[in-house]
Amino acid sequence: MLCQTTPLAQESLLHIQGPDSLTFLQGQTTCDTRTLDPDHAVPGAYCTPQGRVVCDFLLSQLEEDHYALRMRRDIVASSSAIFGKYIIFSKAQLDAGRDDWQVQACWGPDARQILHDIFGSAPGERFAASHGTGFVLVQVDHDGQQFECYHNNSCTAQLQQLAATAALATESQWQALQLHSGIGRVEAATVEAFIPQMLNYDLTGHINFNKGCYTGQEVVARLHYRGKSKRRMHLAELATEHPALAGTALYSSSSEQSVGNIVNSAADAEGRVMALAVTTQTGLDNGLHLGAVDGPTLSPRELPYSLDADQALTDRR
């Protein structure tokens, strides 16, 4: 069967529990938490009042009044600290230190059937969720071939069965799939480096423009309705042997002034080093280089959505 799996050591869950959890997140984040239920996860982001992205996440319900924001492990503590400044007046608690829940990826043409056979159910659309004792499965693509599994220690038998059925892959291969999907992730080096539109979050379903006020909403909405982001995120292949660090500056052939930064980078199954990069259109047109004007080149590749059509990817949901 055509299926691969890998533990995601660079991903972690920021837990939030209590009856006011979703109300608190509704007033702080870009997503509409009213659309969340046990059968649906929601992508979103948290911004500063100046509209700078502190973290991105995929929010799901683990148990009654128990939710988790899946994000990069290296920003969980800092994100929890910022959320914690405002949660003290809510009947909700954050927990960034739990290690009883882990994140696993599973993908391939047969992934859904394998997960269904092992866990007894599997989601059937993007951001749909299936759940049971000690686990939540979330489909993260449109084609039904990419899934994340959040699980605790009670799922040892299922995970052993998954390991025996699917081929073991690397976390880098999974990350490369997400790069090709055009989903930019915030890492420790890029906290508060970008506004949501630079990361194409207005096109990937991370922002709900009808939900009402949240932290940073004025800046994000103003740019959406009255302006245009001068920098956008693009997919590129790097002429290097190793992935580039997040935040690394980019330069064009015609200027010594930085025209952008690396968002994420990973090597795919064929050994190609792929990257998502935020840059100006002029920088892209003049040719991008990593780290210096004479650094390794970045060759543009096609994203699965159009940067010219607002809500292009969101409309597919």
Side-chain angles (χ1 to χ4, degrees):
M1 303 184 80
L2 299 177
C3 180
Q4 295 176 289
T5 188
T6 186
L8 299 181
Q10 295 187 44
E11 304 290 342
S12 188
L13 302 179
L14 173 57
H15 296 259
I16 180 169
Q17 294 179 263
D20 289 349
S21 295
L22 294 185
T23 301
F24 167 75
L25 292 173
Q26 180 74 356
Q28 296 293 329
T29 67
T30 61
C31 62
D32 189 346
T33 63
R34 294 171 297 184
T35 64
L36 179 77
D37 59 41
D39 299 320
H40 297 89
V42 181
Y46 175 68
C47 301
T48 67
Q50 295 74 35
R52 294 280 168 170
V53 182
V54 172
C55 65
D56 71 283
F57 57 80
L58 185 57
L59 174 65
S60 61
Q61 182 172 342
L62 303 183
E63 299 165 333
E64 185 176 1
D65 289 337
H66 181 187
Y67 307 90
L69 298 95
R70 189 271 289 132
M71 61 181 67
R72 283 296 174 91
R73 182 177 297 277
D74 62 0
I75 65 170
V76 169
S78 60
S79 300
S80 178
I82 294 175
F83 276 126
K85 295 178 182 180
Y86 307 102
I87 204 172
I88 55 176
F89 302 108
S90 302
K91 294 180 180 178
Q93 293 182 329
L94 293 162
D95 192 343
R98 296 183 60 161
D99 58 1
D100 55 330
W101 285 82
Q102 304 295 325
V103 184
Q104 184 96 7
C106 185
W107 68 97
D110 298 321
R112 175 185 285 147
Q113 185 61 54
I114 287 174
L115 291 173
H116 185 278
D117 292 344
I118 293 174
F119 290 94
S121 63
E125 62 181 6
R126 188 175 187 236
F127 298 137
S130 296
H131 53 89
T133 302
F135 75 87
V136 174
L137 301 173
V138 180
Q139 180 178 317
V140 297
D141 69 335
H142 289 285
D143 299 327
Q145 296 190 19
Q146 299 177 23
F147 300 85
E148 291 182 356
C149 175
Y150 315 137
H151 61 86
N152 65 19
N153 297 332
S154 66
C155 291
T156 301
Q158 290 98 319
L159 293 173
Q160 289 176 343
Q161 188 176 354
L162 179 61
T165 306
L168 181 63
T170 67
E171 186 167 5
S172 179
Q173 291 171 347
W174 170 257
Q175 291 172 348
L177 287 177
Q178 307 315 298
L179 299 184
H180 283 285
S181 297
I183 307 299
R185 303 294 307 285
V186 176
E187 302 185 31
T190 56
V191 170
E192 298 187 31
F194 307 115
I195 60 174
Q197 283 90 338
M198 290 181 184
L199 297 171
N200 303 344
Y201 284 172
D202 53 331
L203 306 176
T204 57
H206 285 68
I207 306 173
N208 186 299
F209 288 99
N210 301 313
K211 61 166 287 185
C213 295
Y214 56 87
T215 304
Q217 183 264 346
E218 183 177 353
V219 176
V220 176
R222 185 189 304 120
L223 181 58
H224 178 70
Y225 291 111
R226 300 183 180 179
K228 182 178 180 180
S229 181
K230 295 180 180 179
R231 297 189 178 202
R232 280 288 194 176
M233 188 177 69
H234 299 266
L235 178 65
E237 182 175 345
L238 294 176
T240 64
E241 296 182 359
H242 304 286
L245 295 177
T248 301
L250 302 175
Y251 298 85
S252 71
S253 302
S254 60
S255 173
E256 294 187 0
Q257 184 176 357
S258 174
V259 296
N261 300 90
I262 293 292
V263 179
N264 310 114
S265 180
D268 64 17
E270 287 73 41
R272 299 173 300 179
V273 177
M274 308 302 298
L276 289 171
V278 166
T279 184
T280 63
Q281 186 61 48
T282 300
L284 187 70
D285 292 341
N286 290 335
L288 292 175
H289 296 267
L290 181 68
V293 294
D294 58 350
T297 59
L298 285 80
S299 301
R301 297 292 181 259
E302 187 175 355
L303 284 167
Y305 51 84
S306 172
L307 297 180
D308 297 323
D310 286 347
Q311 304 299 318
L313 188 56
T314 305
D315 289 345
R316 293 177 59 189
R317 294 182 59 187

